[in-house]
Amino acid sequence: HLHGYDAAGSAIALTILRNPLAGDHGGRWAVRPGEDYPYTDNGFHEASIRIHPHEGDWRAAGLAARAAEHVHPPLVVADTYHSGSLPSKGAFLQQDPPTPAVLRALKRAESGEGLVLRLVETDGVAVHLTLGGETLGREVQVTLNPYEVQTLLVPDDVSAAPRVVGIAEFDLAPGEGET
């Protein structure tokens, strides 16, 4: 991860590594350097930077999606045919229309009652999506406001409606999740 960057005119400046001794901010807990805490950014590092030249607006270039792909490249597992209960092909998760809204997390709910999806609208434009596929087992309608981060609980019980929850997966008070 980059620690900082800025752009002015045609120049881009990147801070890839920094090496402050410690961040105790005068708390005096760092008595034995290297023993009480690890040195910040000390040791071997790898960095990867992509530059995506484009014409026009950054939204049209899909830069938020390109950045997500760079940070989390697809994991490919080569396998051959074998027996099992799942069909030979299917859709893990579908999004219609395919927009720059990015799925940041998909996991089982802490309560075990369903799946939690964290969605982020990255282009500053309100979007309405239909999510579906084998994982959800149904179609779910989602509306995201510009730059909204939304945590959605999709219960396993298909008769129970999906609902927006807080980041800790607690139900929100009426109006609390609205922007």
Side-chain angles (χ1 to χ4, degrees):
H1 299 313
L2 297 176
H3 289 288
Y5 56 92
D6 69 281
S10 62
I12 299 172
L14 304 172
T15 302
I16 297 174
L17 283 177
R18 60 189 187 96
N19 199 355
L21 185 58
D24 75 346
H25 306 287
R28 308 215 190 290
W29 55 264
V31 178
R32 298 169 300 185
E35 293 179 37
D36 293 339
Y37 58 91
Y39 289 117
T40 305
D41 282 349
N42 198 21
F44 179 77
H45 293 276
E46 287 187 27
S48 177
I49 299 168
R50 288 189 184 171
I51 298 174
H52 292 276
H54 59 87
E55 291 182 323
D57 187 81
W58 60 271
R59 291 168 192 88
L63 296 183
R66 299 299 76 75
E69 290 167 357
H70 180 72
V71 174
H72 300 288
L75 175 64
V76 177
V77 178
D79 202 352
T80 61
Y81 294 101
H82 51 83
S83 62
S85 60
L86 297 176
S88 59
K89 69 179 191 175
F92 172 73
L93 187 65
Q94 294 173 309
Q95 176 181 306
D96 185 44
T99 69
V102 178
L103 177 69
R104 294 289 185 194
L106 172 65
K107 68 175 196 116
R108 290 290 306 161
E110 295 296 321
S111 65
E113 69 173 294
L115 295 172
V116 173
L117 293 85
R118 180 130 332 108
L119 302 161
V120 180
E121 196 295 308
T122 57
D123 284 350
V125 179
V127 294
H128 181 76
L129 308 168
T130 300
L131 300 175
E134 305 291 329
T135 304
L136 295 180
R138 60 173 144 172
E139 288 191 345
V140 176
Q141 303 299 312
V142 176
T143 298
L144 294 169
N145 291 318
Y147 302 115
E148 180 179 5
V149 176
Q150 186 178 107
T151 304
L152 185 67
L153 174 64
V154 180
D156 291 331
D157 178 0
V158 293
S159 67
R163 61 188 190 271
V164 176
V165 295
I167 195 166
E169 301 178 25
F170 295 116
D171 287 321
L172 299 175
E176 189 177 6
E178 299 172 7
T179 55

